[in-house]
Every structure is written in structure tokens, then in C-alpha cells.
Amino acid sequence: PKMKEDSCLQAALLCLGVLCYSHALSTPRLNHSRPSLHGHHEKGKEGQVLHRSKRGWVWNQFFVIEEYTGPDPVLVGRLHSDIDSGDGNIKYILSGEGAGIIFVIDDKSGNIHATKTLDREERAQYTLTAQAVDRNTNRPLEPPSEFIVKVQDINDNPPEFLHENYHANVPERSNVGTSVIQVTASDADDPTYGNSAKLVYSILEGQPYFSVEAQTGIIRTALPNMDREAKEEYHVVIQAKDMGGHMGGLSGTTKVTITLTDVNDNPPKFPQSVYQMSVSEAAVPGEEVGRVKAKDPDIGENGLVAYSIIDGDGMDMFEITTDYETQEGVVKLKKTLDYETKKSYSLKVEAANVHIDPKFISNGPFKDTVTVKIAVEDADEPPVFLKPSYIFEVQENAASGTVVGKVHAKDPDAANSAIRYSIDRHTDLERYFVINAEDGNIKTIKALDREEMAWHNISVFAVEVHKQHQEAKVPVAIKVVDVNDNAPKFAAAYEAFVCENARSNQQFITISADDKDDSANGPRFIFSLPPEIIHNPNFTLRDNRDNTASVLVRREGFSRQKQDLYLLPIVISDGGVPPLSSTNTLSIRVCGCDSGGSLLSCNAEAYVLNAGLSTGALIAILACIVILLVIVVLFVTLKRQKKEPLIVFEEEDVRENIITYDDEGGGEEDTEAFDIATLQNPDGINGFIPRKDIKPEYQYLPRPGLRPAPNSVDVDDFINTRIQEADNDPTAPPYDSIQIYGYEGRGSVAGSLSSLESATTDSDLDYDYLQNWGPRFKKLADLYGSKDTFDDDS
């Protein structure tokens, strides 16, 4: 059927082209708007041109149908000049766009044919120029005439959408007719000619949920209350058809994926009416007990649920929080539980949406409730002391085995296991106390001293007999009660001073006392003199009744020469029950004072010296001592300045004064002679030279065959002998065996290297051999060679 439709369409278009061609052949002229070369149209007016252009056709415009596939070239039109008499003397020439390639002209008849198939979508029109010339001379007979060949459109391009696939979103439960998306297609055919580019949209897939507007391509919802929870995604196929949608038109399609977005149209619902949970009584506050979850099919913020406890006897014991990642309500312990007190709790939990859409408030309420029952499980709890801490008292110096106090613990479990007690020895390192393991009685092991430690802080353990891992601990503070067992003593090490010129009843010191016992056993101290010296003729004591006492002088006038120190015993008693007392001795020193009572000296020897010698005598003694010291220093200095000969010359050795110049050192001004005495070591006469730097392991004996060198020996032999001794000395290490002697010896084969006399004496050496050393030594040979040789060479 489609091939038949296309054949009919081509036939109709061909007829239309032939009609246009016939219409064009009836009027085309080369000179309608221009005068003829022969003046054939000289009477033509410009108004005539305007009049002719008002016709329904245009004289200089031809039409050719596109995509023509006939066997013969298509006749586009015919050109004719008014001066053409038909004798063949006129030649028609065609030029311009496609001339000679696409369009050809019969130069005699003026017929124009199209030799190729044309496509309007590639090019819609061609501009050509025709001219009539003399065939013989090629002289133009008329000016060139321009005309247009238009390609007539046919419906050969289907509509195409801008995108192959579209994606769109629309809220669920939208009203009917809600715009979703607009799709657009385009047609390459000529929109100004026929209906080839007139498009109509239709929906092929997606009914009855969506519809499309035929002219605009806008997709709209077609059903009310579409539910995302039932179906979230839809696939819609849209078709665009040209020719106004009529039979024979071409079409194109596109796919549109439409997703329903969520709205909060569903309340949360618990899947069950009661949740059962359990928790151990040993659980600590903050521990998780269980979780509940209300299901909400909505997503995102529309599905957020918040949980809360709204009723129940466990509101004070439990709390609930929201885990927004899992959308669960987490029940947690708020306070410590006790199975023996209450074994179960009940909660009423509510789950409500966080965000509510007012459009769907009628679907509410957007919340739900559930009952949570929590059972408390019995746990094996450690023993519990009746008190959080204990405080006991015991008197110091109490006998060993004295009961201090009693602690008590019990098993809170239903089994009520027996308890065993013990003391944490880390808190009682000295082992002052012991506890009865069965009844918890604490006793002393040894006497306590309050003055050493007034409080003892220990810890007592309580464990179950059959479950040793269940343990409790309680602090026990034991106060040691004071007993009056310390007599009072001086508060400090007192030392008193009394003037020789002291007056009778004069107070010279105030003393106080100190008692290690508690203030309850020594509220006031009593000071007194022993009964045997209560009538002491020198000093007396006065109790000030404020825990102090004053010591006074009983008589006038003391003498350091007779007695410079007095010892006064003082009895101090406390007010304890029974009272304790101690005798303390006060040292009183007699001193010299001025008339105002200020101390000057308390030294008895200094007093005697001052009485025997005056100040002038002391100065004279010191001056004599200084003079004697000066005399001794002068004598020593003068004795050191005496000059004595350091070296005694027994015999003068003439050789030691010889000044030698057999070296190239400082010249004649060098007067330091070679001291031969250094080579004449007396110790070396016997052939043995002791080492000065180290102590040899054994005594070196001179080797046989080495004769000692006498003093008159030649220096050369002397040196050789010493070299042999050094080389054969087993006690000389290698680093200490080098011996240097500033002597060259006699009979040197090298002779003297001095050049001092070379200028005045002729050399006896023969340098003729230099002639045989080659050209490099020719210069030396000329300078030092013999004269004969020199003359020969020259």
C-alpha cells in the first residue's frame, strides 16, 4: 500500500510539474523587460512591465520537482527570443549555477533540461543566465536575461525529535492535565509548500496515564491520583507525523521516561501492636534495650519518623531516641533497675511524621502508637553493704584483739548466698587490724599510737561463698582515740642569759610547753620548781596560767669568774586524766651587760684576759710578731740571691771550643759549634746506653765483639759503633730507633758539591760524551764539550 501511495504521489507531482512547465512555455521571453536588439520592443513601456508582473506567474521563474527518477532528463522550460525567426541563426547560451552540469540547454530550440536528480533539502533554487547570440558571429543579440529554477518540494523527510530519549518528573497524585514535559520534532521538508512539514503529535504508549497535545507536543497527566507507592516509573512513546497526520505522511517517534515524585500521603504504621523486650537488672543507664520501627512507604523527608514515649509506668526508667539512618526508635535504659523491686514495665510509644503536607492532611493522622512491654531479668549481683562507708573508734594503746566495729553485707539475689569478709591488705600494710570472715567483726592485732597515726583508712571486701567473682568493697575509717600517754615538754630548746648586774625579781625569760596528746588531755600546763629547790637562792618561777611561765632573778649580783652557768630544773604537768608531768632543765648563762642591760659578752676567758692585759700591751705584742716575720723573709731572699757556679770545669777540652763551618747553614755568623761532648757520654763507654723513656723488661748486656770506644777514638768509628748498638738493641722500639748525627764523615766519593771555586779553576771532567746523546743535548755539548770538538763542530 505504501508503494502505491508513493507512486500516486509522484504521478501527482509530475502532473503538477508538467502543468507548470506548460504554463512557463506559454510566456517565457528573453526580452520582456528589456528592448530587443532589433528594436522589436521599442514601444514597450515601463508600466507594461509592472502590469505584466502582476500576473499569477513569474515569467523568469521555472520549477522542477525534486527526487525525480524518470528515464529521461526532466524538461525544466524553454527560452525564446522575439527576434528568433526560426531559421537557426540564433544560438542560446546558458550560464550560472549548475549550468552545463545540472542544467543543459538546446542552443537552437532553447529547451532546458535537468540531467541530475535534485534535492530541495540540499539546495532549494538555482540562479541561471540566458543569452541569445548570433550563431555565426557570437555577437549578443539581446542583453543577458537572469532567471531562477526552483526545486519543487516533495515529502521525502520524516520528522525527527530533538532527543532520542526524554526524562521527566511529576508529583504523584497530581490533577488531570498537569503538564509533564514538552517534546519537539522537526521536518526538513518545505514548510511553505503543502503539508510536508506540518506535524501532528500522538501517543503510542502510555495510555491511559498520559496524553499529548497534537499541535504542541506537551505531555499531560490523564489519570487522577496516580500513586508512586503503586508504580513509580512510566514509559511513554510519542509519535510526530507530517502531512498533518493524514494518510501517506512520514513519522518519527521518541521515548519519554516519566517518574512520579513522592509526596507525604502515607502515615507511619507499626507492623505489630505490641513489642516484647527484656533487659538485665545489671544493665547500666544508657544501655540499649530494644528497637521499634514504624513503616512509612514515603521516601526522603516525607518518610522521616520521630519516636516518643507518651505513657506507661516505665516513663521514668526508660527513654527512646530516633535513629534517622534506619528510621528506628531505640529504647534505652534511663535508670538502674532492680529485679527484686519490679520485674516488668510497660511503655506506650508514638511514631509521627516529621514533615506533613497540608494538601493531604485529610489522609491523616500521620502518626501511630504501639505498646512496648519490657521484662527485667534477674542478674547475679555482687553483695551489697548496708552502708556506703563505715566509721569506727578505738582507743590508742588498746590491747591486741580489741573489737573496733562490725560491717555487714548481704546478697541481693533471691538465693541469698553466704558472705565472706576480708581486709584489703594494700590499705593495711602494717597489719594493725583483722576481720572475722563470717560475721564481719574488725579487731586490732597490735597497739595503736594516736601520735603516730590518728586515722586508719582500710577497705573491706565481701564475696559470695559459692561465687568468688561476685565481690563488693566498702571503705572503713578507724579513728584512734587519744589517751594521755605523753608528758608535756619545753616547746623549744631554751637558753637563758642573765646579767651580772641583774636586779632582784627581774624577769629574764618566758617559757612555754608542748604536749603530743590531744588538747583534751592537756588543756592547761602547770609550771613549778622541784620541791628540793623550791627555795632556790638564785632564781624563782612564776606560772602565768596561760600555758607559759616566767623565770625571775631572786638575788642581785652574779660573777662570771665564780660561776658563769646555772642549770634550773622546771617541772611541767598537764591536765589529763591521770595527769602526767616531766622535769626539764633550763640553762642560764651569766653575761656582762652595760648599764642599760644590753649584753656585751658571755665569755668568762675573755673577761680574765681583759683584766690582765691592756689594749696597748696587745698592740705591742702584735707589732713584735710582724717585725720578726719581716726579718725572716729578708733573710731568705738574700740567701737565694747568692750566685754559685752551676758547672765546675775540672779539665778544659779544647775540642769543645772548635767552631765548624762544614754545613750550608747560616754562614759565618752561625757561631753555634758542634758540641762533641754529647757524643762522649760516659755511660756509653761500657757499650750500654740506658733508655730514658721506657723501662726495659730485662737488663741489656752488650753484645760480644763490640769493643768500647775510648775518649780518643775517631768520631767516625764512634758513630758507627753507636749505630750498631742501636740496631741491635732489643729494648728500642722502631719508633725510637732513629738517631741523627750532624756529621758527614770522611772520604766521600761524591766530593764537594760546592761551586765556589768553579769560576777560578778549570774542570777536569770530560763532557765529550754529550755529543752522542742526540740533537736534544747539542746545546749542552757545545757549552761543555772540548775545544777541539767545539772547533770541529763549528
Side-chain angles (χ1 to χ4, degrees):
K2 185 174 182 180
M3 294 179 61
K4 291 181 179 180
E5 292 178 3
D6 294 342
S7 300
C8 294
L9 178 61
Q10 291 179 0
L13 293 175
L14 181 60
C15 294
L16 179 62
V18 171
L19 180 62
C20 294
Y21 171 70
S22 301
H23 188 64
L25 288 178
S26 62
T27 59
R29 296 290 186 269
L30 294 179
N31 56 356
H32 279 185
S33 60
R34 301 174 182 84
S36 174
L37 295 176
H38 301 283
H40 195 75
H41 282 114
E42 292 179 357
K43 295 181 180 181
K45 304 292 183 182
E46 186 178 356
Q48 293 178 354
V49 176
L50 294 175
H51 177 74
R52 290 171 65 91
S53 66
K54 292 181 180 179
R55 295 179 183 180
W57 48 269
V58 181
W59 71 270
N60 61 347
Q61 181 170 286
F62 298 127
F63 293 89
V64 61
I65 191 168
E66 69 170 334
E67 304 293 346
Y68 174 73
T69 58
D72 299 326
V74 178
L75 179 61
V76 178
R78 180 181 181 186
L79 298 178
H80 183 73
S81 176
D82 292 340
I83 62 175
D84 187 3
S85 60
D87 55 3
N89 291 327
I90 296 178
K91 179 181 179 181
Y92 294 97
I93 300 174
L94 185 65
S95 63
E97 298 174 346
I101 301 175
I102 300 176
F103 303 100
V104 296
I105 189 170
D106 188 344
D107 58 354
K108 292 182 179 181
S109 64
N111 292 335
I112 302 174
H113 291 82
T115 61
K116 293 184 178 181
T117 301
L118 303 180
D119 188 357
R120 190 201 67 83
E121 284 70 41
E122 289 185 5
R123 188 158 189 170
Q125 66 181 22
Y126 297 86
T127 302
L128 299 172
T129 302
Q131 191 174 21
V133 300
D134 187 275
R135 183 177 294 276
N136 297 322
T137 62
N138 286 331
R139 182 175 61 85
L141 300 178
E142 286 186 356
S145 295
E146 188 178 85
F147 64 94
I148 297 174
V149 177
K150 284 193 174 182
V151 181
Q152 189 68 45
D153 181 53
I154 64 172
N155 189 20
D156 60 343
N157 291 280
E160 293 183 357
F161 283 93
L162 299 180
H163 303 285
E164 184 178 354
N165 293 290
Y166 289 85
H167 296 273
N169 298 324
V170 64
E172 64 173 331
R173 300 193 181 277
S174 295
N175 297 328
V176 176
T178 301
S179 176
V180 180
I181 191 175
Q182 182 178 13
V183 294
T184 304
S186 61
D187 196 320
D189 293 325
D190 189 359
T192 63
Y193 180 77
N195 293 326
S196 297
K198 186 178 181 180
L199 304 181
V200 175
Y201 298 94
S202 61
I203 184 168
L204 300 183
E205 295 182 14
Q207 302 95 338
Y209 305 103
F210 300 95
S211 63
V212 64
E213 291 184 357
Q215 305 301 325
T216 61
I218 298 176
I219 302 174
R220 300 182 182 274
T221 58
L223 282 182
N225 297 324
M226 284 191 292
D227 190 3
R228 184 200 65 83
E229 287 73 32
K231 186 177 181 180
E232 183 176 5
E233 192 173 82
Y234 296 85
H235 298 281
V236 178
V237 178
I238 302 297
Q239 174 185 269
K241 190 174 184 180
D242 58 11
M243 298 300 293
H246 293 92
M247 185 71 67
L250 303 179
S251 64
T253 59
T254 186
K255 294 181 181 180
V256 183
T257 302
I258 301 175
T259 303
L260 297 181
T261 57
D262 185 63
V263 297
N264 191 11
D265 58 339
N266 295 281
K269 292 290 183 181
F270 284 104
Q272 58 197 66
S273 59
V274 179
Y275 283 87
Q276 298 286 346
M277 300 179 183
S278 61
V279 60
S280 172
E281 65 172 334
V284 297
E287 187 173 335
E288 181 178 329
V289 178
R291 295 186 174 220
V292 297
K293 183 175 183 179
K295 296 183 178 179
D296 191 332
D298 296 322
I299 60 175
E301 66 176 13
N302 297 318
L304 294 179
V305 179
Y307 299 87
S308 60
I309 300 175
I310 59 176
D311 197 6
D313 58 359
M315 291 183 66
D316 296 334
M317 305 300 295
F318 300 92
E319 61 183 357
I320 190 169
T321 59
T322 303
D323 186 348
Y324 286 102
E325 292 185 1
T326 60
Q327 292 299 303
E328 294 177 321
V330 183
V331 180
K332 296 182 179 180
L333 183 62
K334 192 176 180 180
K335 296 181 180 179
T336 304
L337 301 173
D338 186 8
Y339 171 82
E340 288 73 25
T341 303
K342 189 172 178 61
K343 296 179 175 58
S344 65
Y345 294 89
S346 178
L347 302 174
K348 188 175 183 181
V349 177
E350 179 184 80
N353 277 138
V354 177
H355 302 281
I356 299 177
D357 193 341
K359 295 180 182 179
F360 306 99
I361 194 69
S362 59
N363 295 1
F366 288 86
K367 57 185 176 181
D368 194 16
T369 58
V370 71
T371 300
V372 179
K373 293 185 178 180
I374 303 174
V376 181
E377 297 178 348
D378 187 20
D380 188 9
E381 300 176 84
V384 178
F385 283 94
L386 298 184
K387 295 181 181 181
S389 62
Y390 292 87
I391 299 178
F392 301 128
E393 291 184 355
V394 61
Q395 285 190 344
E396 65 174 329
N397 301 328
S400 177
T402 301
V403 176
V404 176
K406 181 179 181 180
V407 297
H408 184 67
K410 66 175 183 178
D411 183 10
D413 299 323
N416 195 16
S417 301
I419 306 298
R420 292 292 180 267
Y421 304 93
S422 62
I423 294 178
D424 183 1
R425 288 304 172 188
H426 292 90
T427 61
D428 186 25
L429 297 176
E430 300 295 333
R431 294 185 176 272
Y432 288 104
F433 306 97
V434 67
I435 190 171
N436 190 307
E438 295 181 357
D439 59 11
N441 278 322
I442 301 174
K443 297 180 181 180
T444 60
I445 300 178
K446 53 185 178 181
L448 306 177
D449 188 359
R450 188 201 69 85
E451 288 71 39
E452 182 179 341
M453 185 179 294
W455 285 87
H456 293 265
N457 296 307
I458 63 174
S459 296
V460 176
F461 291 113
V463 297
E464 297 181 14
V465 174
H466 302 293
K467 299 176 182 179
Q468 298 293 328
H469 65 280
Q470 295 293 355
E471 180 182 77
K473 186 177 181 180
V474 67
V476 178
I478 301 174
K479 180 182 179 182
V480 181
V481 180
D482 183 50
V483 174
N484 191 20
D485 57 348
N486 291 278
K489 296 181 180 180
F490 277 156
Y494 293 108
E495 186 175 5
F497 302 92
V498 63
C499 295
E500 288 180 308
N501 55 356
R503 298 186 304 273
S504 178
N505 293 328
Q506 180 180 354
Q507 176 183 338
F508 58 90
I509 190 172
T510 300
I511 59 175
S512 62
D514 188 14
D515 195 335
K516 293 182 179 180
D517 292 323
D518 192 17
S519 59
N521 289 314
R524 194 177 75 82
F525 300 116
I526 301 173
F527 300 87
S528 62
L529 296 177
E532 61 272 14
I533 62 167
I534 194 170
H535 299 292
N536 188 308
N538 298 316
F539 306 100
T540 183
L541 183 70
R542 183 180 65 203
D543 193 340
N544 297 326
R545 299 183 180 276
D546 59 355
N547 293 332
T548 64
S550 300
V551 181
L552 297 85
V553 178
R554 173 168 286 187
R555 65 180 178 85
E556 293 183 358
F558 291 89
S559 175
R560 281 183 287 173
Q561 294 179 350
K562 294 181 179 180
Q563 185 175 353
D564 62 343
L565 180 65
Y566 293 88
L567 301 177
L568 180 65
I570 299 176
V571 179
I572 307 175
S573 301
D574 59 19
V577 179
L580 295 179
S581 63
S582 65
T583 302
N584 301 266
T585 302
L586 178 64
S587 298
I588 303 174
R589 187 173 296 279
V590 180
C591 300
C593 302
D594 57 10
S595 59
S598 299
L599 295 178
L600 294 178
S601 175
C602 297
N603 193 335
E605 289 77 6
Y607 179 82
V608 174
L609 182 61
N610 290 338
L613 293 174
S614 63
T615 303
L618 291 175
I619 294 174
I621 294 173
L622 292 175
C624 293
I625 294 174
V626 172
I627 292 172
L628 289 175
L629 291 175
V630 171
I631 293 172
V632 171
V633 172
L634 290 175
F635 179 77
V636 173
T637 304
L638 292 174
K639 188 175 182 180
R640 287 186 177 181
Q641 289 181 352
K642 290 182 179 180
K643 294 183 179 180
E644 296 180 358
L646 299 179
I647 301 176
V648 180
F649 294 93
E650 295 180 356
E651 182 178 0
E652 185 176 358
D653 193 341
V654 178
R655 289 175 298 174
E656 293 179 357
N657 295 329
I658 297 175
I659 298 176
T660 60
Y661 295 95
D662 55 346
D663 61 75
E664 296 183 19
E668 296 180 356
E669 292 181 1
D670 187 2
T671 57
E672 292 185 7
F674 179 79
D675 189 3
I676 199 173
T678 57
L679 301 178
Q680 295 179 347
N681 188 356
D683 296 331
I685 296 176
N686 56 7
F688 171 71
I689 303 175
R691 295 295 304 273
K692 303 298 182 180
D693 53 348
I694 62 172
K695 181 179 180 181
E697 297 180 358
Y698 58 89
Q699 186 67 26
Y700 171 74
L701 298 177
R703 294 182 58 187
L706 295 179
R707 53 187 175 83
N711 291 341
S712 61
V713 76
D714 188 32
V715 176
D716 191 5
D717 296 336
F718 177 81
I719 291 175
N720 291 331
T721 302
R722 292 295 183 265
I723 291 175
Q724 292 179 9
E725 293 177 357
D727 292 338
N728 298 319
D729 186 6
T731 63
Y735 62 83
D736 199 28
S737 62
I738 299 176
Q739 298 188 27
I740 300 173
Y741 296 93
Y743 181 77
E744 189 178 359
R746 297 194 308 267
S748 175
V749 296
S752 175
L753 297 179
S754 174
S755 61
L756 295 177
E757 296 178 357
S758 62
T760 57
T761 60
D762 295 333
S763 175
D764 297 331
L765 296 179
D766 184 13
Y767 295 98
D768 292 339
Y769 60 88
L770 293 176
Q771 299 293 336
N772 301 324
W773 283 16
R776 292 187 179 182
F777 296 89
K778 187 175 184 303
K779 181 66 68 176
L780 290 175
D782 294 342
L783 294 175
Y784 293 95
S786 63
K787 185 176 181 180
D788 297 337
T789 306
F790 179 79
D791 294 338
D792 294 340
D793 294 339
S794 60

